[in-house]
Amino acid sequence: MAYSDKIVDHFQHPRNVGSMDANLNNVGTGIVGAPECGDVMKLQIKVDDEDRIVDAKFKTFGCGSAIASSSLATEWVKGRTLDEALELKNTDIVTELALPPVKIHCSVLAEDAVRAAIADVKKKKEQAAPAVAS
Amino acid sequence: MRSVYLDNNATTPVDPRVLEAMLPYFRENFGNAASRNHRFGWIAEEAVDKAREQVARVINANSKEIIWTSGSTEGNNTAILGVARMYADKGKHIITCKIEHKAVIDPCKFLESEGYEVTWLDPDDKGRVTVDQVREAMRDDTILVSLMFANNEIGTIHPIAEIGALCKERDVIFHTDATQAFGKVPIDVEAMGIDLLSMSAHKIYGPKGVGALYVRRKKPRVRLQPIIHGGGHERGMRSGTLNVPGIVGCGAAAETAMKEMPTENVRIGGLRDRLWAGLSEHLTDIHRNGDPQHCLPNTLNVSFLYVEGESLMMGFGDIAVSSGSACTSASLEPSYVLKGLGMGDDIAHSSIRFSLGRFTTKEDIDYTIEQAVKTVNHLREMSPLYEMAQQGIDLSKVEWQRH
Ligand SMILES: Cc1ncc(COP(=O)(O)O)c(C=O)c1O
C-alpha cells in the first residue's frame, strides 16, 4: 500500500509539532490512544478571550497516517472558535489525506484528540470563572 | 533515493547463477519427469535427481529422503498433518512452540480441532526453548515434536541437536521448520537427530513456490499420510507433476548456498554487527531482540523505544525492512513472536527486523544506519512518549485512553 502525497508531506514536514504548558488556563490538552495499541496523540490548543483557537500543537506516536492526521487537525483548528472546532469530522480528514479503510481509526483518534483538548480548556475556563454570587 | 533491500527473511532475489541453471528447463528440456519412456522425460528426471542430491548434501541426507513441495508452508503441513494421521494409533499429542511460523501453528491448531492435543511451549525472553522444557512436556502419547530451526523474526536458533537426541531417546518424531536456517547455518540431520525438515527455495536465492521436505528413511523410517492425493509421485507422499525448472533452481540455490556458507556467514555476520554497532553508537533507548549467542548471522531485530515501527519504515524510504507492528491490520495486534518473548505490546510496536543477504553491501549498511538515525530522531522529536520519558514519567503508570 502506497501512501498518498499528502500523508507523505505531513509526515516529512509535520505542522505544529511541539508542546505548550499544560498548566496554563487558556491551554487545553487532549491525550488519546495507548502505547500498546500502537498510537498515542497529544494535541494542545491555546485560546484567546473570545474562545478562538490562536495556536495548536501536537505530538504523536503512531504510524505515518496517525502523524499526518494529527498534523492536519492542528492546521484546521487554528483560527476557529471552540464551537467551530467541534464541527471537525474525522471523515474530513479521511478525505483530505485519502486514508485507506485500515487507517480510518487514525482520523478518529485525531478527532478524539481535538475534542479532548476542547473539553479540557472549557473545563478550565469554567473553574476559573468567578463564582456567581447567590 | 538509494534502494536497499534488508528483508531477505521475507524473500530473496533469484541469484543469476540459479536463473541460468533453470532456463533450459522451460524450453528445450521441458519434459515431464514422470515420463519413463522417452528422452524428454529422462532429461527432466535426471535434472530432478541432481537437484535432490544438491539439496540432500546441505543437510547430510540421502537424496532418496527428499520430497519436492511447493515451499515450506506445504512442507510443514505435509509433515505435521502427515505424521499426526499416520501415527494416530500411537497417540495424539504434539509439542510445538508459541513463536513458530503460522505455517506450523495453523496446522497444529487445525489438528486440535480434530481432537489432537498440542502443548504450546513458551520460549524464554530471547526466543529459545530448552531441552528440559521439551522433556517435561513429553507424554506416553506424544507422537511429534515440531520446532523451527531458526526464527524468522528474531533469528534465534533452538538447541536442535539436544532436542533431536531427546526425541530419539523417547522414540518421538522430530520435525524442524528450517526455512530460515537451511543454507545459512550448518545442518546435519544425522548428528542432530532430525526426522523431518522443511526448506524453501525462495529464502536462499532460488525461485518462489518450490521447496523440499526431508523425510527420514532409516532409524526410524518415517511414514506420512499424504495431504495431496493423485498420481503417486514422490513415493506417494506428494502427488503432482514436478515443477522441473523450479526444482532445478532449488537444487542450484542449495548448492551455491552450501559452497558460499563459510565465507558468506563471516561477511554477512560482520555487516550485521556493523549495523548494530552503528545504531547503538548514535541512538539511545534501543534494544536488540533475540539471542545474540544463538542467532542467524543475517538477522537483527531492534526495538527503537518511543517510536512506532510503521512510521519508522515510512521514514526509511526505499530501505525495505519489516516491522513488528501491524497497524495495517484492523486488530492493531503487534507481532505474536515478539509478544511471545514476553515483550510488552508498546515495545513490540517499536520493533524493526533487518535481514541481510547475499547482495547486501557495506554501503547499504552505512546508508541504513544514517537513515535510521535520522528517522528515529525525527520521530522522537514528535513523540509524546519520548517527551514523557525525558520528563521522568513512568509510561507504564500512565492511565491511557484506550480506543
Ligand atoms: C520460518 C518459516 N516457515 C515457513 C515459511 C513459509 O514458507 P513458504 O513461503 O515457502 O511457504 C516461512 C516464510 O515466510 C518462514 O520464514
Side-chain angles (χ1 to χ4, degrees):
Chain A
M1 173 192 59
Y3 298 97
S4 73
D5 291 345
K6 283 189 177 148
I7 295 179
V8 173
D9 183 47
H10 277 280
F11 178 80
Q12 286 173 346
H13 311 285
R15 332 287 199 255
N16 308 309
V17 173
S19 294
M20 296 189 268
D21 183 352
N23 294 318
L24 292 177
N25 268 337
N26 63 339
V27 169
T29 303
I31 300 180
V32 297
E36 55 269 34
C37 302
D39 27 35
V40 175
M41 282 184 195
K42 184 182 86 164
L43 196 142
Q44 294 184 299
I45 51 172
K46 183 187 272 178
V47 294
D48 64 12
D49 293 339
E50 271 80 58
D51 277 354
R52 191 169 290 280
I53 299 171
V54 293
D55 199 5
K57 295 275 182 219
F58 85 95
K59 286 206 172 191
T60 291
F61 163 85
C63 64
S65 302
I67 289 169
S69 296
S70 37
S71 170
L72 180 64
T74 58
E75 266 192 324
W76 277 0
V77 297
K78 270 207 223 177
R80 296 199 196 193
T81 64
L82 291 178
D83 289 338
E84 285 165 359
L86 277 173
E87 286 163 19
L88 177 80
K89 288 279 168 302
N90 83 290
T91 46
D92 300 333
I93 296 176
V94 172
T95 311
E96 173 69 14
L97 296 176
L99 292 181
V102 291
K103 294 297 185 185
I104 287 176
H105 70 274
C106 298
S107 68
V108 173
L109 207 59
E111 183 189 314
D112 288 350
V114 170
R115 288 173 179 276
I118 293 171
D120 184 49
V121 77
K122 279 191 169 172
K123 198 173 87 193
K124 280 181 177 172
K125 290 217 156 185
E126 272 163 29
Q127 284 168 354
V132 181
S134 55
Chain B
M1 192 161 45
R2 195 188 168 100
S3 167
V4 177
Y5 187 76
L6 295 180
D7 204 12
N8 288 279
N9 286 9
T11 195
T12 56
V14 173
D15 188 298
R17 294 166 288 184
V18 171
L19 180 64
E20 212 46 48
M22 291 170 69
L23 287 176
Y25 295 90
F26 287 104
R27 297 173 63 165
E28 54 267 38
N29 303 331
F30 62 86
N32 185 328
S35 296
R36 287 281 149 75
N37 35 29
H38 53 66
R39 198 172 53 82
F40 296 91
W42 302 330
I43 292 174
E45 192 186 15
E46 204 175 301
V48 167
D49 285 345
K50 179 181 170 199
R52 249 187 250 282
E53 282 287 343
Q54 288 168 315
V55 168
R57 221 171 282 143
V58 176
I59 55 175
N60 189 27
N62 185 295
S63 65
K64 293 199 181 84
E65 300 175 303
I66 302 299
I67 304 291
W68 298 114
T69 65
S70 63
S72 285
T73 301
E74 188 189 321
N76 292 342
N77 273 269
T78 304
I80 294 166
L81 301 178
V83 166
R85 286 167 182 163
M86 185 58 87
Y87 297 92
D89 291 350
K90 205 180 152 216
K92 287 190 150 191
H93 179 238
I94 294 166
I95 299 170
T96 187
C97 175
K98 287 182 179 163
I99 62 168
E100 288 290 314
H101 192 271
K102 289 283 181 196
V104 165
I105 290 182
D106 285 358
C108 287
K109 280 192 180 158
F110 176 70
L111 286 170
E112 279 183 323
S113 78
E114 286 198 337
Y116 288 79
E117 278 186 70
V118 178
T119 298
W120 301 93
L121 298 176
D122 273 309
D124 67 13
D125 60 359
K126 295 186 164 69
R128 277 190 122 209
V129 298
T130 63
V131 67
D132 289 335
Q133 272 178 292
V134 181
R135 185 180 290 112
E136 277 159 31
M138 277 193 177
R139 317 190 314 206
D140 290 342
D141 62 343
T142 305
I143 50 171
L144 176 68
V145 170
S146 180
L147 288 170
M148 67 204 320
F149 205 107
N151 186 279
N152 45 304
E153 284 195 34
I154 51 177
T156 299
I157 298 172
H158 285 313
I160 293 293
E162 289 172 54
I163 294 166
L166 169 70
C167 289
K168 289 282 108 22
E169 181 192 314
R170 300 287 290 260
D171 206 13
V172 171
I173 293 173
F174 180 34
H175 166 248
T176 187
D177 173 357
T179 311
Q180 296 294 346
F182 185 98
K184 289 190 206 159
V185 292
I187 302 177
D188 182 330
V189 291
E190 292 306 326
M192 295 173 166
I194 297 165
D195 299 316
L196 293 156
L197 176 148
S198 324
M199 64 78 65
S200 184
H202 75 98
K203 309 287 187 181
I204 56 163
Y205 313 91
K208 293 169 184 54
V210 59
L213 177 66
Y214 157 79
V215 185
R216 177 176 287 280
R217 270 170 45 111
K218 277 190 203 137
K219 294 196 254 176
R221 181 183 183 87
V222 175
R223 295 183 310 143
L224 300 177
Q225 196 181 103
I227 56 174
I228 298 179
H229 303 267
H233 309 73
E234 302 300 278
R235 298 198 278 137
M237 287 191 255
R238 202 280 194 174
S239 289
T241 298
L242 293 178
N243 167 10
V244 178
I247 288 166
V248 168
C250 187
E255 183 174 319
T256 312
M258 186 168 89
K259 214 184 295 168
E260 300 191 344
M261 194 194 298
T263 48
E264 275 296 271
N265 279 3
V266 174
R267 190 187 71 86
I268 294 175
L271 290 178
R272 192 265 316 270
D273 295 345
R274 182 183 182 88
L275 176 56
W276 173 240
L279 295 174
S280 356
E281 185 188 342
H282 298 291
L283 291 169
T284 59
D285 301 302
I286 63 174
H287 291 319
R288 178 169 175 182
N289 303 313
D291 188 340
Q293 303 302 317
H294 307 279
C295 189
L296 290 174
N298 78 317
T299 306
L300 179 68
N301 191 303
V302 181
S303 298
F304 298 89
L305 301 193
Y306 318 122
V307 292
E308 190 271 341
E310 212 182 308
S311 63
L312 277 168
M313 297 213 293
M314 194 170 163
F316 285 5
D318 212 6
I319 300 174
V321 294
S322 103
S323 156
S325 186
C327 190
T328 40
S329 72
S331 68
L332 300 180
E333 276 289 296
S335 150
Y336 69 93
V337 172
L338 298 177
K339 286 179 68 175
L341 311 182
M343 183 186 286
D345 284 16
D346 50 342
I347 302 178
H349 275 299
S350 300
S351 306
I352 295 286
R353 175 187 74 187
F354 302 89
S355 50
L356 286 58
R358 185 174 293 168
F359 302 108
T360 308
T361 64
K362 184 162 151 278
E363 289 70 33
D364 290 340
I365 294 303
D366 290 345
Y367 177 70
T368 301
I369 294 169
E370 189 188 310
Q371 284 299 112
V373 169
K374 227 184 336 193
T375 304
V376 170
N377 287 332
H378 173 66
L379 291 172
R380 282 186 178 164
E381 188 71 20
M382 56 174 130
S383 164
L385 304 183
Y386 186 65
E387 181 181 66
M388 289 164 125
Q390 296 303 302
Q391 290 163 355
I393 296 170
D394 180 351
L395 295 177
S396 65
K397 302 252 157 63
V398 176
E399 278 205 33
W400 301 103
Q401 305 262 302
R402 273 173 200 79
H403 51 101

